[in-house]
Amino acid sequence: MYSQEGTKYQIIINFETEGIVEKSDVIGAIFGQTEGLLGEELDLRDLQRSGRVGRIDVKTASKGGNTKGEIVIHSSLDKAETALLAASIETIERVGPCASQFRVAKIEDSRIEKRKKLIDRAKEILIMSFDEGLIDTNDLIDDVRQHSRIEKMVELGEEKVPAGPNVMDSDAIIVVEGRADVINLLKYGIKNAVAVEGTNIPQTIVDLCRTKTATAFVDGDRGGDL
């Protein structure tokens, strides 16, 4: 029994008949008019029985008293044998009582199409499975730098106010709302920020503001207003 998985080539043939014919008429003409043409080894019936040729697909469309259509034959023969089989179909001159013309449109290599699908799928798998593991040197450097800056955050006074490492030595300070703001500023190299962390200003920050130029960076919400 023929398996589509074993298909090497697909013979695609266009045909036209001077009259209305059915699919069964076309298939009958194929078997009947090619019988014995290529000898016993390439007899179409025997090739199908041995599984070297698969099913014969026929599509038809009738219009104006004529029929046009397409035939697809699945072959696991080699190139030369497949070409001979295709050429034999072109010798068909009649389908039933109707004069006909058969022409090979092309022979497709099924394995090439499978390879294309395989390559496309491999690309998808590659992106899906391995992309997250790619290492960008610049990203690594940035991560290390940011970590280094975050590690330099200090705590000031009895309230343990989060602050950048340069707050005590700087003539000016930046007052922000929370610890996250100090960390974000450290990421960009700003080391003189100090966080209020709440609505009550710690005494440590009050004392700093008396001796240093202070700039407040706060959100426009209720906490910032307070």
Side-chain angles (χ1 to χ4, degrees):
M1 186 174 181
Y2 186 82
S3 170
Q4 291 298 111
E5 297 297 323
T7 298
K8 292 181 182 178
Y9 305 103
Q10 288 184 330
I11 305 170
I12 300 173
I13 301 167
N14 296 327
F15 70 90
E16 183 174 357
T17 66
E18 296 178 2
I20 305 298
V21 298
E22 302 293 333
K23 293 180 181 179
S24 57
D25 298 324
V26 177
I27 292 175
I30 291 172
F31 282 104
Q33 295 183 46
T34 61
E35 186 175 4
L37 188 62
L38 300 176
E40 293 183 0
E41 291 187 4
L42 291 179
D43 180 77
L44 188 53
R45 294 183 192 277
D46 290 339
L47 290 173
Q48 277 200 321
R49 278 195 290 265
S50 64
R52 299 176 69 194
V53 169
R55 70 173 186 267
I56 299 175
D57 298 322
V58 179
K59 295 179 182 178
T60 62
S62 299
K63 184 178 180 181
N66 295 329
T67 301
K68 292 183 179 181
E70 180 185 85
I71 301 166
V72 179
I73 301 175
H74 303 270
S75 168
S76 62
L77 302 169
D78 64 25
K79 288 182 179 180
E81 292 169 334
T82 299
L84 278 171
L85 179 61
S88 72
I89 305 299
E90 287 192 341
T91 66
I92 298 172
E93 296 180 346
R94 305 190 74 82
V95 175
C98 305
S100 307
Q101 187 176 40
F102 288 69
R103 286 291 178 268
V104 175
K106 59 182 175 179
I107 297 178
E108 293 182 344
D109 190 329
S110 300
R111 295 166 298 180
I112 292 176
E113 187 62 29
K114 287 180 181 178
R115 288 190 196 107
K116 289 179 181 178
K117 291 180 180 179
L118 183 150
I119 291 170
D120 289 341
R121 180 55 182 156
K123 290 177 181 177
E124 292 175 0
I125 293 172
L126 180 63
I127 294 172
M128 177 179 63
S129 302
F130 298 103
D131 189 47
E132 293 183 359
L134 295 177
I135 297 175
D136 188 306
T137 303
N138 291 330
D139 289 343
L140 288 175
I141 293 172
D142 288 342
D143 286 344
V144 172
R145 284 176 177 168
Q146 289 180 11
H147 181 73
S148 175
R149 289 166 183 164
I150 293 171
E151 287 297 315
K152 291 179 180 178
M153 187 174 65
V154 298
E155 294 178 338
L156 302 178
E158 294 181 359
E159 305 95 332
K160 295 185 178 180
V161 177
N166 292 357
V167 167
M168 299 305 296
D169 299 329
S170 178
D171 294 332
I173 61 171
I174 299 172
V175 180
V176 295
E177 288 191 20
R179 176 183 294 267
D181 299 315
V182 174
I183 292 173
N184 285 332
L185 290 172
L186 282 172
K187 289 179 181 179
Y188 294 96
I190 300 173
K191 303 177 182 180
N192 62 333
V194 60
V196 174
E197 285 208 305
T199 56
N200 295 322
I201 300 176
Q203 186 61 43
T204 299
I205 294 181
V206 173
D207 294 340
L208 287 170
C209 291
R210 286 173 178 165
T211 59
K212 301 176 184 291
T213 301
T215 302
F217 283 170
V218 294
D219 297 334
D221 54 15
R222 184 173 180 274
D225 292 339
L226 291 172

